[in-house]
Short mmCIF file of all heavy atoms in Angstrom, two decimals:
data_model
loop_
_atom_site.label_atom_id
_atom_site.label_comp_id
_atom_site.label_asym_id
_atom_site.label_seq_id
_atom_site.Cartn_x
_atom_site.Cartn_y
_atom_site.Cartn_z
N ASN L 53 5.93 -0.51 44.50
CA ASN L 53 6.92 0.26 43.72
C ASN L 53 8.11 0.71 44.53
O ASN L 53 8.85 1.58 44.10
CB ASN L 53 6.23 1.45 43.05
CG ASN L 53 5.45 2.31 44.03
OD1 ASN L 53 5.56 2.11 45.24
ND2 ASN L 53 4.64 3.24 43.54
N LEU L 129 -13.30 17.43 51.60
CA LEU L 129 -14.08 18.21 50.63
C LEU L 129 -14.62 19.51 51.25
O LEU L 129 -14.91 20.45 50.51
CB LEU L 129 -15.27 17.35 50.13
CG LEU L 129 -14.89 16.17 49.23
CD1 LEU L 129 -16.04 15.18 49.16
CD2 LEU L 129 -14.51 16.65 47.85
N GLY L 166 -12.59 11.27 43.94
CA GLY L 166 -11.22 11.60 43.54
C GLY L 166 -10.89 11.00 42.19
O GLY L 166 -11.61 10.12 41.69
N GLY L 167 -9.78 11.46 41.60
CA GLY L 167 -9.38 10.96 40.29
C GLY L 167 -7.88 10.72 40.16
O GLY L 167 -7.35 10.56 39.08
N GLY L 168 -7.18 10.71 41.32
CA GLY L 168 -5.73 10.47 41.30
C GLY L 168 -5.41 9.02 41.67
O GLY L 168 -6.31 8.19 41.81
N ASP L 169 -4.13 8.75 41.84
CA ASP L 169 -3.70 7.37 42.18
C ASP L 169 -4.30 6.90 43.49
O ASP L 169 -4.60 5.73 43.65
CB ASP L 169 -2.17 7.31 42.25
CG ASP L 169 -1.54 7.19 40.87
OD1 ASP L 169 -2.16 6.57 40.01
OD2 ASP L 169 -0.45 7.73 40.69
N THR L 170 -4.42 7.81 44.45
CA THR L 170 -4.98 7.40 45.74
C THR L 170 -6.40 6.89 45.56
O THR L 170 -6.77 5.83 46.08
CB THR L 170 -4.98 8.56 46.75
OG1 THR L 170 -3.64 9.03 46.88
CG2 THR L 170 -5.47 8.15 48.11
N GLU L 173 -6.34 3.47 43.88
CA GLU L 173 -5.84 2.44 44.79
C GLU L 173 -6.91 2.10 45.82
O GLU L 173 -7.17 0.93 46.12
CB GLU L 173 -4.57 2.97 45.49
CG GLU L 173 -3.75 1.93 46.16
CD GLU L 173 -2.45 2.52 46.66
OE1 GLU L 173 -2.48 3.34 47.60
OE2 GLU L 173 -1.41 2.17 46.11
N HIS L 189 -15.97 11.42 40.11
CA HIS L 189 -14.90 12.36 39.78
C HIS L 189 -15.51 13.60 39.11
O HIS L 189 -16.43 13.49 38.30
CB HIS L 189 -13.90 11.68 38.85
CG HIS L 189 -12.72 12.52 38.53
ND1 HIS L 189 -12.09 13.32 39.45
CD2 HIS L 189 -12.06 12.73 37.35
CE1 HIS L 189 -11.09 13.97 38.86
NE2 HIS L 189 -11.05 13.62 37.59
N ARG L 190 -14.91 14.75 39.41
CA ARG L 190 -15.51 16.00 38.95
C ARG L 190 -15.28 16.29 37.48
O ARG L 190 -15.90 17.18 36.91
CB ARG L 190 -15.01 17.15 39.82
CG ARG L 190 -13.49 17.35 39.78
CD ARG L 190 -13.10 18.43 40.77
NE ARG L 190 -11.66 18.65 40.78
CZ ARG L 190 -11.04 19.47 41.62
NH1 ARG L 190 -11.74 20.17 42.51
NH2 ARG L 190 -9.74 19.62 41.59
N ARG L 191 -14.35 15.58 36.83
CA ARG L 191 -14.09 15.83 35.41
C ARG L 191 -14.40 14.55 34.61
O ARG L 191 -15.00 13.63 35.14
CB ARG L 191 -12.62 16.21 35.22
CG ARG L 191 -12.24 17.50 35.91
CD ARG L 191 -10.85 17.97 35.54
NE ARG L 191 -9.79 17.11 36.05
CZ ARG L 191 -8.91 16.47 35.31
NH1 ARG L 191 -8.94 16.56 33.99
NH2 ARG L 191 -7.94 15.74 35.87
N ARG L 195 -6.45 11.79 36.61
CA ARG L 195 -5.06 12.17 36.54
C ARG L 195 -4.15 11.00 37.04
O ARG L 195 -2.92 11.12 37.02
CB ARG L 195 -4.77 13.43 37.34
CG ARG L 195 -4.92 13.30 38.84
CD ARG L 195 -4.40 14.53 39.57
NE ARG L 195 -5.18 15.71 39.24
CZ ARG L 195 -4.66 16.90 39.05
NH1 ARG L 195 -3.37 17.08 39.15
NH2 ARG L 195 -5.44 17.93 38.77
N MET L 200 -2.90 2.24 36.91
CA MET L 200 -3.92 2.24 37.97
C MET L 200 -5.29 2.44 37.34
O MET L 200 -6.28 1.81 37.75
CB MET L 200 -3.65 3.32 39.00
CG MET L 200 -2.30 3.26 39.66
SD MET L 200 -2.21 1.94 40.86
CE MET L 200 -2.66 2.81 42.31
N ALA L 253 -10.77 10.81 48.71
CA ALA L 253 -9.39 10.53 48.29
C ALA L 253 -8.95 11.62 47.30
O ALA L 253 -8.71 11.34 46.13
CB ALA L 253 -9.31 9.15 47.67
N ILE L 254 -8.87 12.86 47.79
CA ILE L 254 -8.66 14.00 46.88
C ILE L 254 -7.30 14.68 47.11
O ILE L 254 -7.13 15.83 46.75
CB ILE L 254 -9.80 15.03 47.01
CG1 ILE L 254 -9.90 15.55 48.44
CG2 ILE L 254 -11.12 14.42 46.55
CD1 ILE L 254 -10.74 16.80 48.55
N GLY L 255 -6.35 13.97 47.66
CA GLY L 255 -5.02 14.55 47.80
C GLY L 255 -4.69 14.90 49.25
O GLY L 255 -5.43 14.52 50.15
N HIS L 256 -3.61 15.61 49.38
CA HIS L 256 -3.05 15.83 50.71
C HIS L 256 -2.61 17.28 50.92
O HIS L 256 -2.37 18.00 49.97
CB HIS L 256 -1.86 14.89 50.93
CG HIS L 256 -2.29 13.47 51.01
ND1 HIS L 256 -2.53 12.71 49.88
CD2 HIS L 256 -2.61 12.70 52.06
CE1 HIS L 256 -2.95 11.52 50.25
NE2 HIS L 256 -3.00 11.48 51.57
N TYR L 300 6.60 14.90 43.44
CA TYR L 300 6.81 13.44 43.28
C TYR L 300 6.03 12.64 44.31
O TYR L 300 5.39 11.68 43.98
CB TYR L 300 8.31 13.12 43.34
CG TYR L 300 9.09 13.72 42.22
CD1 TYR L 300 9.90 14.85 42.46
CD2 TYR L 300 8.99 13.24 40.93
CE1 TYR L 300 10.62 15.43 41.40
CE2 TYR L 300 9.70 13.84 39.90
CZ TYR L 300 10.50 14.91 40.13
OH TYR L 300 11.18 15.49 39.10
N ARG L 301 6.14 13.02 45.57
CA ARG L 301 5.35 12.46 46.67
C ARG L 301 5.33 10.92 46.72
O ARG L 301 4.30 10.32 46.91
CB ARG L 301 3.94 13.02 46.63
CG ARG L 301 3.90 14.50 46.87
CD ARG L 301 2.52 15.08 46.84
NE ARG L 301 1.94 15.04 45.54
CZ ARG L 301 0.78 15.54 45.22
NH1 ARG L 301 0.03 16.08 46.15
NH2 ARG L 301 0.31 15.48 43.99
N GLN L 302 6.44 10.32 46.50
CA GLN L 302 6.55 8.86 46.55
C GLN L 302 7.40 8.48 47.78
O GLN L 302 8.26 9.24 48.21
CB GLN L 302 7.25 8.31 45.29
CG GLN L 302 6.54 8.71 44.00
CD GLN L 302 5.13 8.19 43.95
OE1 GLN L 302 4.88 7.00 44.06
NE2 GLN L 302 4.17 9.09 43.78
P1 LIG T 401 -3.70 13.95 43.41
O1 LIG T 401 -3.48 15.37 43.75
O2 LIG T 401 -2.87 13.28 42.39
O3 LIG T 401 -5.22 13.75 42.96
C1 LIG T 401 -6.25 14.34 43.66
C2 LIG T 401 -7.57 14.04 42.93
O4 LIG T 401 -8.65 14.56 43.70
C3 LIG T 401 -7.64 14.71 41.56
O5 LIG T 401 -8.25 13.84 40.63
C4 LIG T 401 -8.50 15.94 41.81
O6 LIG T 401 -9.34 16.28 40.73
C5 LIG T 401 -9.40 15.47 42.93
N1 LIG T 401 -9.81 16.58 43.80
C6 LIG T 401 -9.00 17.47 44.45
N2 LIG T 401 -9.72 18.35 45.16
C7 LIG T 401 -11.02 18.03 44.96
C8 LIG T 401 -12.26 18.54 45.42
N3 LIG T 401 -12.29 19.58 46.26
N4 LIG T 401 -13.39 17.97 44.99
C9 LIG T 401 -13.34 16.89 44.17
N5 LIG T 401 -12.23 16.34 43.70
C10 LIG T 401 -11.07 16.88 44.08
O7 LIG T 401 -3.63 13.18 44.84
P2 LIG T 401 -3.41 11.64 45.15
O8 LIG T 401 -3.52 11.58 46.62
O9 LIG T 401 -4.28 10.78 44.35
O10 LIG T 401 -1.90 11.36 44.72
C11 LIG T 401 -0.84 12.14 45.27
C12 LIG T 401 0.52 11.64 44.74
O11 LIG T 401 0.78 10.36 45.32
C13 LIG T 401 0.57 11.45 43.23
O12 LIG T 401 1.83 11.84 42.81
C14 LIG T 401 0.36 9.99 43.05
O13 LIG T 401 0.96 9.51 41.86
C15 LIG T 401 1.02 9.41 44.30
N6 LIG T 401 0.43 8.10 44.64
C16 LIG T 401 1.00 7.00 44.13
C17 LIG T 401 0.50 5.74 44.41
C18 LIG T 401 1.17 4.55 43.82
O14 LIG T 401 1.99 4.73 42.93
N7 LIG T 401 0.88 3.36 44.27
C19 LIG T 401 -0.66 5.56 45.28
C20 LIG T 401 -1.23 6.81 45.75
C21 LIG T 401 -0.68 8.04 45.45
P3 LIG T 401 -8.72 16.94 39.37
O15 LIG T 401 -8.03 15.80 38.69
O16 LIG T 401 -9.94 17.42 38.69
O17 LIG T 401 -7.80 18.01 39.83
#
Side-chain angles (χ1 to χ4, degrees):
N53 52 10
L129 291 162
D169 279 327
T170 303
E173 195 173 69
H189 184 41
R190 60 186 179 184
R191 297 189 291 120
R195 68 171 64 220
M200 303 286 267
I254 60 165
H256 292 83
Y300 296 105
R301 295 180 292 183
Q302 303 299 304

